[in-house]
Amino acid sequence: MAETNGTAFDIVVLGGGSGGYAAALRAAQLGKTVALIEADKVGGTCLHQGCIPTKALLHAAELADNAREGAHYGVHTTLDHVDINGVNEYKASVIGRLYKGLQGLIKSRKITVIEGYGRLVAPDAVEVNGQRITGQHIVLGTGSYARSLPGLEIGGRIVTSDQALQLDWIPKSVVVLGGGVIGSEFASVWKSFGADVTIVEALPHLVANEDEALSKAFERAFRKRGINFSLGVRFAGATQDENGVHVTLEDGKTFDADLLLVAVGRGPRTADLGYEEQGLTLDRGFVITNERLHTGVGDIYAVGDIVPGLQLAHRGFAQGIFVAEEIAGLNPQAIVESGIPRVTYSEPEVASVGLTEAKARETYGTDGVETLEYNLGGNGKSQILGTTGFVKLVRQKDGPVVGIHMIGARVGELIGEGQLIVNWEAYPEDVAGLVHAHPTQNEALGEAHLALAGKPLHAHN
């Protein structure tokens, strides 16, 4: 092992987010000496500015909706107001407990944490705080940042998700620029908190990466909730003053609101980190790797949001574990991107895994695919919860299920079984033989597969 300044490790991980700390934890578990370099806090965007805080807000939003709707269930409740400071305290407490637990886990596995901005300076070295840290293997996991648009300056009443999570006030009106996962989740929160919300999306649908049937159902649900949206139209500009924001679209429409949320996606955090200087291949800022997540330079790997593909924390976890096991010589199975589950945690939730119908027909031919939709109206637990939606199955004709797509309250909790079905290439007949507990929403997956296998119980042929 190369040594510089007397500091050398088996593995040096640059970035302590989902992918980075997962690689560090698994590598340490496998007996490797590990240095984890992080400029801010271990846990990264997911724990501190993404997954966890937004879902805490969404849970508070769900409670607000429940309070408004209690009379429908015979429980007469009223919503006095949403105390955003109390919500933020609850959010911070959740983050704090998880952060403390993660710190303890890292310490227990004897991982050396180095705080500071690291820069790749050689195929086997990262420089941080003026010190050169070397390792036989380097794992890059520097994460992502909230994008903006050219000419649109973030500040004041124009915010990204980073600033939105820190607000100590609830806007009365919001324009959300971007109808993907992040924009839709914040739109859902603010509507539940009492704001007037308008989403602007340049693509033809909200959550446009999902199966078109889900996108259309999602739009109907948001419209029913009173969330407004303009689709297929581009943003033109925005001005702000002390009273609010004035937003203009290319079709001439204008909106005035208290706040503009810019939710146009996340960019890879790779600039000025020495990646290109060391010979790594970058495409639009993303680090290009092979299917084993190797960069093609030395013993350098990349994981998480800097690698092209789904920018999801659980993808980062899986890649971090994979790389640690690859370095340890365990020859793990390569990660199949289409088998990674996706969830939008709004009201209603959207959850999916595998191929959309359009992608499946592109892959197997127009006549090589079968689909089925099972309406949650036939599911007892969904009726109890008062939710609507459906489960859509996409099957290779006379073959396995290649895609599962769901919309409805809490359907994100069903995607675990969905990913097993898709990743294990199960046939509908295989799943139809499994007994699902009644009454559960999980039962809807079983019913859908029964129907696709030609023996529906609570659904029509």
Side-chain angles (χ1 to χ4, degrees):
M1 182 189 305
E3 289 197 32
T4 309
N5 291 352
T7 306
F9 297 86
D10 294 330
I11 301 174
V12 175
V13 181
L14 180 55
S18 302
Y21 85 68
L25 288 173
R26 182 64 177 132
Q29 192 176 50
L30 292 169
K32 303 295 183 181
T33 58
V34 182
L36 180 59
I37 300 169
E38 171 55 49
D40 192 1
K41 296 177 179 178
V42 292
T45 296
C46 174
L47 178 54
H48 301 286
Q49 294 97 28
C51 318
I52 299 303
T54 54
K55 279 54 182 180
L57 291 181
L58 282 156
H59 182 58
E62 180 184 18
L63 293 176
D65 289 334
N66 288 342
R68 288 191 190 93
E69 299 163 4
H72 177 74
Y73 303 96
V75 180
H76 292 269
T77 57
T78 57
L79 179 64
D80 183 18
H81 70 288
V82 175
D83 174 12
I84 192 61
N85 291 323
V87 171
N88 284 337
E89 287 175 9
Y90 150 70
K91 169 169 62 74
S93 70
V94 173
I95 295 169
R97 289 193 296 273
L98 292 171
Y99 180 45
K100 184 177 180 180
L102 177 58
Q103 287 176 304
L105 193 56
I106 288 170
K107 184 178 180 180
S108 71
R109 297 201 185 168
K110 296 180 172 54
I111 295 167
T112 301
V113 177
I114 303 170
E115 296 180 1
Y117 286 90
R119 192 172 191 276
L120 189 66
V121 293
D124 66 346
V126 173
E127 188 174 270
V128 57
N129 302 329
Q131 186 180 16
R132 189 179 176 98
I133 312 298
T134 66
Q136 282 187 324
H137 308 273
I138 305 292
V139 178
L140 306 176
T142 43
S144 60
Y145 64 93
R147 288 187 189 273
S148 185
L149 293 176
L152 185 57
E153 186 175 345
I154 303 301
R157 293 177 178 268
I158 301 176
V159 302
T160 68
S161 58
D162 291 344
Q163 295 81 39
L165 284 169
Q166 305 305 319
L167 289 180
D168 59 2
W169 57 286
I170 299 173
K172 293 182 179 179
S173 56
V174 187
V175 173
V176 177
L177 182 56
V181 173
I182 296 171
S184 296
E185 289 185 351
F186 273 99
S188 188
V189 166
W190 280 322
K191 183 62 181 179
S192 297
F193 284 175
D196 291 325
V197 182
T198 299
I199 303 173
V200 175
E201 173 54 61
L203 295 174
H205 291 292
L206 299 180
V207 290
N209 290 331
E210 297 292 347
D211 189 275
E212 188 173 352
L214 253 64
S215 294
K216 289 180 176 179
F218 189 72
E219 290 160 13
R220 290 194 296 270
F222 264 29
R223 193 178 292 115
K224 186 176 180 180
R225 290 188 62 194
I227 297 174
N228 304 306
F229 44 88
S230 290
L231 304 176
V233 59
R234 292 186 176 277
F235 168 83
T239 58
Q240 64 172 309
D241 56 29
E242 65 274 9
N243 297 316
V245 183
H246 182 74
V247 179
T248 306
L249 307 186
E250 285 188 351
D251 65 359
K253 287 182 183 176
T254 61
F255 303 96
D256 292 308
D258 288 341
L259 197 71
L260 172 63
L261 171 66
V262 182
V264 293
R266 298 187 65 84
R269 197 182 298 277
T270 56
D272 303 319
L273 293 176
Y275 293 176
E276 288 181 293
E277 290 88 331
Q278 296 307 316
L280 274 64
T281 301
L282 270 61
D283 180 12
R284 296 171 294 114
F286 291 96
V287 177
I288 303 303
T289 71
N290 63 14
E291 70 167 7
R292 312 296 293 178
L293 298 175
H294 192 275
T295 64
V297 176
D299 282 311
I300 303 176
Y301 295 82
V303 298
D305 285 359
I306 63 173
V307 178
L310 298 167
Q311 291 180 309
L312 299 170
H314 46 281
R315 174 180 180 253
F317 293 146
Q319 289 182 335
I321 293 168
F322 172 88
V323 164
E325 294 182 352
E326 178 80 349
I327 290 170
L330 301 183
N331 193 30
Q333 183 176 344
I335 298 166
V336 179
E337 290 275 318
S338 63
I340 298 173
R342 311 172 293 275
V343 184
T344 302
Y345 296 88
S346 50
E347 172 49 46
E349 287 186 352
V350 170
S352 60
V353 62
L355 304 181
T356 63
E357 179 180 347
K359 189 66 178 177
R361 294 194 186 282
E362 180 185 317
T363 303
Y364 302 111
T366 302
D367 298 326
V369 173
E370 296 177 85
T371 67
L372 179 136
E373 289 186 17
Y374 173 78
N375 194 307
L376 291 184
N379 176 254
K381 187 59 179 288
S382 295
Q383 285 288 324
I384 291 167
L385 294 174
T387 188
T388 58
F390 59 83
V391 174
K392 177 176 179 178
L393 304 181
V394 180
R395 175 190 192 180
Q396 184 181 354
K397 191 172 181 63
D398 298 323
V401 175
V402 296
I404 296 178
H405 310 274
M406 299 178 280
I407 182 168
R410 306 184 186 181
V411 295
E413 300 300 327
L414 309 185
I415 204 61
E417 182 180 357
Q419 74 159 346
L420 292 179
I421 292 167
V422 170
N423 282 285
W424 286 348
E425 300 179 341
Y427 281 57
E429 294 79 8
D430 297 329
V431 183
L434 303 176
V435 179
H436 291 76
H438 174 79
T440 62
Q441 282 188 290
N442 183 245
E443 194 178 9
L445 269 176
E447 292 268 5
H449 284 83
L450 276 167
L452 191 54
K455 46 182 180 180
L457 184 61
H458 295 102
H460 299 289
N461 274 323

